[in-house]
Amino acid sequence: MILKQIKTASVIALALGLVTVPAQAASSLAINGTLNKLTGGTTFDAWKFKILGTGTFTVDVAAYEASQSNVSTPDYFTNDINGDGELTWLDADTYFYQDTGSVKTANAIFRCDDVENNCGGTTGASNYFNGYTPGTNPLTRTTHLLTETSVDGSVHFRRDPWYDVVVNMPGDYLFLVADFRLDPVEAEAGINAGDSFSAPAGFTSPILDHADYRVTFSSPDMYISISGDTITLAPVPEPETWAMLLAGLGLVGWRFSNRSGGGSPTVAG
Ligand SMILES: [Ca+2]
Ligand SMILES: [Ca+2]
Ligand SMILES: [Ca+2]
C-alpha cells in the first residue's frame, strides 16, 4: 500500500511537471568516410540531413593529417587522426544543399572550405549560392576562428572546416564533403573534375589514391541520430513535454495493470 502511494505520487509529480529531464543534454554524432581519386577527378560524399525543427548545430571536420602544407614550414608535424596506420591528405571542402532527391546546382546554399578561409571570413557574406545571404537563407553559417581551439582532433591549422549552423527552416538538406574544391556544377555532374589530393610539399611517397575524413556534428538543442546515410536532427523536447510523455506512460501502465487484475499498479518511471 505504501508502495502504491509512492508510485501514485510520482505520477502526479510527473503530470505537474515537477520531475524534469535536462533539456540541455548535448548531442553529438561522428561520421567517417573515404574519398577516392579516379581518372577524371576525386569523388565526394553526400549525406542526407533531415532537420525536424529550428535550432543550432556545429560541423567540425578532421581530415588533413599534417599541421602545415609544407614539411619545411615551422610547426610542421603529422598525426594519424583516424588511427588507421596511414596518413592521407583531404583538404576538406563542405557544402549544404537543399535536398530534392539529387545534387542540383540550383539547390546549393553555402560552402565552407576551411576555418575562416572560404567560409565567410569575419563578415559571413561570402560563399553563399543562388542569391542566398546570411540574412535570407534556410541555414546560416558562422565559421569558428583560428584563434579558437578545435575540439575534434584536427591537425592542420586551417584546412579542416569548423562552423556553426543556425537552422532557419526545417527541411531536407544534403551535406557534401569533398576535396578542395567542389564547384556546384561539378557536384551536379557527380565528380570533382581534375582534382587531386594534396600532400604537404616535400612529403615522401604520399598516399594519393584515397583520403579519409571524420565529421563531428554536435548541438546544444537538438538530438542527432543516423540511419544509413541519413542524419536526423530533432529538437530536444522541453522539460514539460518530457513530463507529460512520462506521465502518459505511467498512466498507461496503471490501466493495464488494473485491467489484468494485478494487486498493485505498475507505473513506468
Ligand atoms: Ca589516417
Ligand atoms: Ca579545406
Ligand atoms: Ca573542382
Side-chain angles (χ1 to χ4, degrees), residues 9-249:
S10 77
V11 170
I12 293 171
L14 286 167
L16 294 176
L18 300 175
V19 177
T20 60
V21 175
Q24 73 279 13
S27 178
S28 69
L29 170 77
I31 58 172
N32 295 281
T34 300
L35 304 185
N36 295 290
K37 170 70 177 172
L38 306 179
T39 303
T42 56
T43 63
F44 63 92
D45 285 348
W47 297 80
K48 290 179 177 293
F49 256 71
K50 289 196 171 301
I51 307 182
L52 305 181
T54 56
T56 61
F57 64 94
T58 298
V59 180
D60 197 353
V61 179
Y64 200 82
E65 294 186 313
S67 60
Q68 301 288 342
S69 308
N70 189 310
V71 299
S72 63
T73 301
D75 300 325
Y76 170 86
F77 65 91
T78 61
N79 185 39
D80 180 5
I81 293 171
N82 62 354
D84 66 348
E86 60 183 29
L87 298 173
T88 62
W89 314 111
L90 179 65
D91 178 0
D93 192 18
T94 66
Y95 297 76
F96 272 89
Y97 281 60
Q98 303 263 23
D99 182 10
T100 57
S102 61
V103 179
K104 294 292 184 188
T105 302
N107 291 339
I109 300 171
F110 69 71
R111 170 188 187 217
C112 186
D113 164 32
D114 296 339
V115 180
E116 295 190 46
N117 188 42
N118 292 325
C119 193
T122 55
T123 64
S126 66
N127 286 298
Y128 279 86
F129 302 98
N130 293 307
Y132 289 126
T133 71
T136 59
N137 69 87
L139 304 172
T140 299
R141 167 219 63 195
T142 305
T143 181
H144 280 247
L145 304 177
L146 290 175
T147 52
E148 301 178 79
T149 302
S150 184
V151 298
D152 69 343
S154 284
V155 177
H156 198 280
F157 78 102
R158 167 168 277 179
R159 285 189 164 174
D160 297 342
W162 183 28
Y163 53 99
D164 298 327
V165 178
V166 175
V167 180
N168 303 314
M169 190 184 302
D172 293 344
Y173 298 95
L174 293 174
F175 172 69
L176 272 52
V177 187
D179 187 62
F180 176 80
R181 66 174 274 178
L182 182 71
D183 292 319
V185 171
E186 294 174 309
E188 182 168 329
I191 185 79
N192 194 346
D195 183 70
S196 297
F197 300 121
S198 307
F203 190 92
T204 304
S205 302
I207 294 170
L208 295 175
D209 66 339
H210 70 277
D212 303 321
Y213 66 85
R214 182 176 71 218
V215 184
T216 303
F217 303 101
S218 59
S219 174
D221 50 20
M222 291 191 282
Y223 282 127
I224 309 174
S225 58
I226 186 169
S227 177
D229 64 353
T230 300
I231 295 163
T232 301
L233 275 71
V236 176
E238 295 297 317
E240 297 74 22
T241 309
W242 273 112
M244 290 175 67
L245 288 171
L246 291 170
L249 289 170

